[in-house]
Amino acid sequence: AVADGFTANDCIVWWRDGNQMTPTASRPFPDDRYRQMIAGAARIAAAASGTVICAGPKPRSVIAEPLRSGPTEVAGLVGIVSDSGRRFSAAERTDLKAIAARLTRELSWLTSHRRLVAEGERLLASSLHDPLTGAMTRGAFEQTIAHEVAAAARRNERISLVIIDVAGMRQINLQHGHKAGDEVLHQVASRLRATVRGNDPIGRLGGDEFAVLLIAAGHDQATAVVKKLIHKLMGEP
């Protein structure tokens, strides 16, 4: 859409992702030579505040603006590419400057958001219990399974693993919002906890999957637990 607004053929955004400057274009790069040529032309155009026309049998015109995350720090570039030799006007360069300022704000926010999400996932992975449902996190639950399997082997006891997959969670989240979906997961975990014994570990395997390890329980007992849970979920408002 940005490229069309300039009556051009391509819009490329270079944004620093860690130590690398990653390009995102509105069309696939035809080859590495095009990518390198346009990157070099964009750097020159941004420094010179003008149009750069690339040489060759098919001359391309480039204008670019730096994405400044600080007064002296450049986090990327935004460039407009035309497949014909043309001189971009001063008004077009002014428009691109305004787009660059907005892009910098939005991409900076997106980078911060991703960093927070990654940090949250790291903290969740290192924790023992899921804050939403109170069940064990997957890592903690898998460690518990390994410990209980070894203990059951020493005692020559049977244990059973029950997995509960909540069907239709995506539709609930889409139609009623994630708050309603979170409440569904919380209710399922609460009723699962009320159904099993206190020494039976409960874990959250994934987004809408729970598991319970039934200590000293065989197949028949596990089936009875599942039927009781389904009855609780279907029979109570």
Side-chain angles (χ1 to χ4, degrees):
V2 173
D4 290 343
F6 285 86
T7 320
N9 303 98
D10 200 2
C11 175
I12 307 176
V13 176
W14 291 267
W15 184 252
R16 191 177 300 282
D17 185 8
N19 295 325
Q20 293 184 335
M21 195 74 77
T22 305
T24 303
S26 59
R27 65 181 181 183
F29 292 118
D31 49 48
D32 287 340
R33 184 178 177 277
Y34 170 86
R35 178 174 174 173
Q36 295 170 1
M37 178 181 65
I38 298 300
R43 287 194 293 269
I44 297 171
S49 298
T51 303
V52 172
I53 299 179
C54 304
K58 290 184 178 180
R60 290 184 169 97
S61 303
V62 181
I63 57 171
E65 279 293 329
L67 303 178
R68 297 188 181 276
S69 54
T72 59
E73 184 178 357
V74 175
L77 283 172
V78 55
I80 302 296
V81 182
S82 175
D83 288 343
S84 60
R86 56 175 279 199
R87 181 180 178 182
F88 288 94
S89 67
E92 288 175 316
R93 294 200 303 272
T94 301
D95 291 342
L96 186 60
K97 192 183 293 291
I99 290 173
R102 176 164 181 172
L103 267 176
T104 303
R105 291 194 299 270
E106 295 192 0
L107 289 172
S108 297
W109 180 88
L110 182 61
T111 300
S112 300
H113 173 72
R114 286 174 175 168
R115 190 183 302 115
L116 286 172
V117 169
E119 179 68 13
E121 290 176 348
R122 187 188 66 79
L123 290 173
L124 183 60
S126 63
S127 65
L128 296 178
H129 289 87
D130 173 51
L132 174 63
T133 62
M136 289 182 178
T137 59
R138 179 166 185 146
F141 187 67
E142 288 177 347
Q143 292 179 7
T144 301
I145 288 177
H147 172 75
E148 292 295 343
V149 166
R154 289 194 301 269
R155 297 191 301 263
N156 196 25
E157 290 179 350
R158 299 178 67 186
I159 58 175
S160 297
L161 179 69
V162 174
I163 298 177
I164 299 99
D165 183 6
V166 183
M169 273 302 302
R170 185 171 182 273
Q171 271 73 19
I172 293 174
N173 287 330
L174 289 175
Q175 293 179 16
H176 305 286
H178 287 275
K179 186 176 181 181
D182 289 348
E183 182 61 27
V184 169
L185 294 175
H186 177 72
Q187 290 292 333
V188 171
S190 298
R191 296 180 190 189
L192 177 60
R193 195 175 296 106
T195 304
V196 301
R197 299 165 297 182
N199 64 328
D200 293 329
I202 301 173
R204 187 176 179 185
L205 296 186
D208 58 359
E209 292 179 340
F210 296 94
V212 57
L213 190 65
L214 301 173
I215 308 298
H219 175 267
D220 294 339
Q221 291 168 294
T223 302
V225 168
V226 172
K227 288 181 177 179
K228 185 178 179 181
L229 174 64
I230 292 175
H231 175 73
K232 275 183 170 291
L233 290 172
M234 300 299 290
E236 298 177 13

